[in-house]
Amino acid sequence: MNEAVVVFLFLGFGIGAVYDAFRFFRLILKKKWEEFIIDFLFFFTISPIIFLFLLSYNNGLVRVFYFTAMLLGYLVYILTLYRVTVYIFRPIANGLRFVIKKSLKSFKKVLQSIKKVYYNMLRNIPLRFKRNKKLGKKKNSGGLNEEDFSEFNT
């Protein structure tokens, strides 16, 4: 029993470290829907780990002191290493966000130049139906005009 409590303390500490890694991505991505996806991925990765630990140490039975031990391990991480990693991760995240913005702008400019090239190429291709310069109308593809019979009207 004491061994399991110590293991769940370390599990809570590990959960804090994993949350810190996911928090780094939250610092890079600032939009609300991106944060939602990151939080979902965090809980999606942590839930099976907790389930496997509960299954291996207590045959899947949920006990309050296991979750209390995980919470204490998480709090130990928050009060110790979390404060150190904040000072390390923030400047790195700001630099990465700057690099991502610049690379996306460059990529957008490349795509726009490719679009311009294709637009100019397609603009020079003749269309199937051209306007008749005399009448300002489209040519009929299958119908007959009065001009077609002008030779026979004598």
Side-chain angles (χ1 to χ4, degrees):
M1 176 94 105
N2 290 334
E3 175 188 344
V5 171
V6 171
V7 168
F8 278 92
L9 276 169
F10 282 115
L11 178 64
F13 194 83
I15 288 171
V18 171
Y19 181 74
D20 213 15
F22 277 92
R23 187 179 54 83
F24 175 71
F25 292 112
R26 286 181 74 174
L27 289 173
I28 294 173
L29 307 170
K30 289 286 189 177
K31 296 179 182 171
K32 291 290 183 184
W33 65 272
E34 294 168 341
E35 290 180 5
F36 173 76
I37 291 173
I38 290 172
D39 287 341
F40 179 77
L41 289 174
F42 170 73
F43 286 110
F44 189 72
T45 56
I46 292 300
S47 298
I49 294 171
I50 293 173
F51 175 73
L52 290 174
F53 270 86
L54 284 172
L55 194 62
S56 65
Y57 279 95
N58 200 21
N59 294 328
L61 294 175
V62 178
R63 303 284 183 180
V64 173
F65 60 88
Y66 290 141
F67 285 102
T68 306
M70 280 191 288
L71 180 66
L72 288 175
Y74 179 74
L75 287 175
V76 166
Y77 181 82
I78 292 296
L79 295 174
T80 57
L81 291 179
Y82 177 80
R83 294 180 182 195
V84 174
T85 59
V86 167
Y87 294 115
I88 295 171
F89 283 165
R90 274 213 179 118
I92 295 172
N94 289 336
L96 268 173
R97 193 177 324 115
F98 178 75
V99 168
I100 289 171
K101 278 185 180 180
K102 288 294 183 182
S103 62
L104 285 176
K105 282 184 180 180
S106 301
F107 186 67
K108 187 176 178 182
K109 286 181 180 181
V110 168
L111 288 178
Q112 286 175 346
S113 64
I114 291 172
K115 179 184 169 189
K116 286 179 184 177
V117 167
Y118 280 118
Y119 175 76
N120 289 332
M121 286 174 55
L122 291 175
R123 192 175 66 179
N124 295 330
I125 295 175
L127 298 176
R128 183 175 175 194
F129 299 111
K130 288 191 174 183
R131 297 207 179 260
N132 192 346
K133 292 182 181 178
K134 293 179 185 175
L135 302 174
K137 297 181 182 177
K138 290 184 180 178
K139 289 184 179 179
N140 280 339
S141 60
L144 299 174
N145 291 335
E146 291 179 17
E147 294 175 354
D148 296 336
F149 296 109
S150 63
E151 299 172 1
F152 300 111
N153 293 337
T154 54

